[in-house]
Each structure stands twice: as structure tokens, then as C-alpha cells.
């Protein structure tokens, strides 16, 4: 199973076939390690957002089934209404979905070029009949967390609980990048590993400290620990375009970066003046490009994840501006897709281990 990956509007989409008969279609689903339920829009759908492939019509797929209320997967936050397992889920950006928990045949491309598929029947997914706040090219979400409803957990007997991806920079050709599973995963070079912390089905890692270039910040022990109220912690989240950092650590890191930029005689600018109003730390691009700008290293338990300048900063090459692609957050730390570029990640939900290694993700695999 090798669903191809491509980028659209800072989201990374996997190509997945769903349904059989006349309703067998291909959908472009947002790869999200921060979500459990895989879902697509289904008819009837109101309100819905426009999508390229059109909405799924469950009445014309002979393998579609509503999930019965006594199914082991129909547990909170899912609930039974009139004999059908229902959901209403919200996301961190305020968007939401409502619909029916269902089962259907999924058709996974066996190569990035498509054409042939590996069909797996009776996978649980969400048939969404209403949504709000959703925009863009995606037809739904491919839930990759470790919850029982996630595709990863449902495929565990086939894949051993292993999946892997390598996200390429949007300015580069996608090559043959694809989502891989089980024994099909190949990692070359100096692979590092760090434990995955078992918490709320999300992929928390033990972040200990941060360095800017070669300067260790020496943040207080426990800065990134998960708190009793659910805040804190650090997650690996492919569904977030950029990264977020807990406020205290962000302020220290930002101060050190400002010092580096000052030492390089860089000119600070307001991102809003260049159509980048979301970004709070921006400068004019130096003549040498990004090469001499400082990197950031996330010091994890037993491993160091280095994020180079090309992955750390967001650029507008025409206007010659760059901005820090990390945002201040009051609740948690989140390593998003942009800061994961050109690193292969392998998730092992059986042994709860994250492995990673640098890789040119745009190169043919």
C-alpha cells in the first residue's frame, strides 16, 4: 500500500480510494497524525464545502454500511441516535463535522503512479453530512493517530502498527513521495529513536530542551511536560501546517533568534506589509539566502531533531522576505508539517517508538 502524497495550500494530502461499484472514487485526504477518525463528505450534505471529486453517495456503494450501536468502536465521543452511531467533532481551528460512523471498502494505491489498488473491506470511517469552517482542496481527513477508530489501528494486523511518511518542501517537486506501511518502510542513514508517550492517542514526545544554532537554551526542567489539566506536552502533528510552542519557551527562543538576526545586520519588517500577517518575526532576506540563518534543534529523549533554515522559516522569494514558522501558544507545543520537511518519520504504535532520519523527500523513492 503506497498512497501518493502531494501538497496543497500547506496541507499534505494522501490519495485514497473509497467505495465499490459505481461509487468507487479517489479522494484527497489531509494526512493528520493529530486526528483519529478518517472521514469524507457524504450525500446528503448540508452545509458542506466544495471539493474536487464530489461527495460520496453511500446509497450507490454496495459495500457501505452504517456502524451499529453495539460495535466496540461506537464509544465516546461517538454516540447512538435512532440505532445509528453518530459523531459531532470539532478541531482546534474551530471547524467541525457531523455525520455517521460507518464501514466501507478502502482502496489503497500500490504505487505512487496509481492504477492498481489493494482493497481492504469493512474499515470504519466517518460519513460526514455537515461541516463548518472547512475550506480548501481536501475531501476530508485521513486519521493517523493511535486511537481505535484510526486507520493505523484498524490496519494493525496487516502492518504491525507501523507507518511512515516524508514531507517535501512545497517549492520542490513531489517525486514519488508516498505513505508507507509495515515492512515496506525503508530508512537509510543515522536513524534516531525516541519514545512515544501514551496519552490521548496523540503522538506526544518527551521534549527536554531547545538549541538555536549551537546555543542551548537551558530551559527549566519540565518546561514541556504534560500538565494535569491536559495542557503542555509536545506532539508530532502532520495536520498542522506550522509549529506552535508553549509561551515561555517561545519567548526565550524568539529572543535568541532576534539577537542572531541583529548580529547578521538583517532588517526586521512587519509581515502584514508583505501579505504574511500571521507571522510575527520577519526579516528581509539576506543576499546569501537562508543558508547562514540559524537552525533550531529539538532535544528529545535520546534523540535530536534538527530543523534547518529551509524548514524553520517561511519565505516569499519574490518579495525577498522570510518569517519564523513557529507560533506562540499558551497551551501546548506542536511540531507541524513545515518543520518536518525532509525528515522521514516512522511511527510504531505497538512499541510506542518514533524513528526519524534526514532524507531528501522530493527525490524518487
Amino acid at each position: 500500500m503506497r498512497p501518493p502524497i502531494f501538497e496543497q495550500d500547506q496541507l499534505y494530502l494522501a490519495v485514497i480510494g473509497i467505495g465499490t461499484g459505481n461509487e468507487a472514487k479517489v479522494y484527497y485526504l489531509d494526512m493528520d497524525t493529530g486526528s483519529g477518525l478518517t472521514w469524507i463528505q457524504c450525500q446528503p450534505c448540508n452545509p458542506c464545502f466544495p471539493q474536487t471529486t464530489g461527495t460520496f453517495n453511500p446509497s450507490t456503494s454496495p459495500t457501505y454500511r452504517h456502524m451499529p450501536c453495539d460495535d466496540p468502536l461506537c464509544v465516546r465521543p461517538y454516540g447512538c441516535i435512532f440505532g445509528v452511531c453518530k459523531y459531532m467533532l470539532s478541531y482546534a481551528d474551530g471547524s467541525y463535522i457531523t455525520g455517521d460512523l460507518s464501514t466501507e471498502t478502502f482502496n489503497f494505491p500500490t504505487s505512487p503512479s496509481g492504477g492498481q489498488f489493494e482493497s481492504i473491506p469493512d474499515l470504519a470511517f466517518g460519513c460526514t453530512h455537515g461541516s463548518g469552517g472547512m475550506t480548501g482542496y481536501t475531501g476530508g481527513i485521513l486519521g493517523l493517530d493511535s486511537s481505535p477508530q484510526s486507520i493505523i489501528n484498524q490496519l494493525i494486523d496487516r502492518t504491525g502498527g507501523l507507518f511512515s511518511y516524508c514531507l517535501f518542501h512545497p517549492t520542490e517537486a513531489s517525486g514519488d513521495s508516498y505513505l508507507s506501511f509495515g515492512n515496506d518502510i525503508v530508512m537509510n542513514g543515522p536513524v534516531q529513536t525516541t519514545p512515544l508517550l501514551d496519552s490521548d492517542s496523540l503522538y506526544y514526545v518527551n521534549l527536554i530542551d531547545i538549541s538555536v544554532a549551537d546555543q542551548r537554551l537551558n530551559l527549566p526542567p519540565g518546561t514541556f511536560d504534560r500538565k494535569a489539566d491536559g495542557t503542555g506536552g509536545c506532539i508530532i502533528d502532520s495536520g498542522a501546517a506550522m509549529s506552535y510552542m508553549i509561551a515561555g519557551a517561545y519567548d526565550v527562543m524568539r529572543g535568541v533568534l532576534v539577537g542572531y538576526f541583529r548580529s547578521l545586520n538583517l532588517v526586521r519588517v512587519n509581515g502584514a506589509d508583505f501579505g504574511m500577517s500571521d507571522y510575527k518575526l520577519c526579516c528581509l532576506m539576506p543576499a546569501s539566502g537562508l543558508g547562514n540563518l540559524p537552525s533550531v534543534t529539538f532535544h528529545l529523549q535520546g534523540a535530536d531533531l534538527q530543523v534547518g533554515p529551509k524548514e524553520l522559516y517561511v519565505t516569499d522569494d519574490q518579495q525577498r522576505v522570510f518569517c519564523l514558522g513557529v507560533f506562540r501558544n499558551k497551551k501546548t507545543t506542536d511540531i507541524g508539517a513545515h518543520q518536518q520537511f525532509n525528515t522521514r518519520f516512522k511511527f510504531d504504535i505497538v512499541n510506542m517508538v518514533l524513528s526519524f532520519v534526514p532524507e531528501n523527500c522530493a527525490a524518487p523513492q
Side-chain angles (χ1 to χ4, degrees), residues 17-31:
I18 300 176
T20 58
N22 292 333
E23 198 54 33
K25 293 180 181 177
V26 168
Y27 296 89
Y28 306 99
L29 304 182
D30 179 10
M31 289 172 37

Side-chain angles (χ1 to χ4, degrees), residues 23 35 56 68 109 119 124-125 160 167 276 294 320 342 354:
E23 198 54 33
S35 295
F56 179 77
S119 295
F125 80 112
L167 303 181
M276 305 175 77
R320 302 293 295 172
N342 291 318
L354 176 70

Side-chain angles (χ1 to χ4, degrees), residues 142-172:
L142 182 66
L144 298 176
D145 75 7
S146 62
S147 65
Q149 294 83 5
S150 77
I151 287 294
I152 301 306
N153 221 317
Q154 293 184 72
L155 294 175
I156 199 167
D157 290 340
R158 177 184 289 258
T159 66
L162 301 172
F163 73 97
S164 175
Y165 59 76
C166 193
L167 303 181
F168 51 90
H169 196 282
T171 61
E172 299 171 341

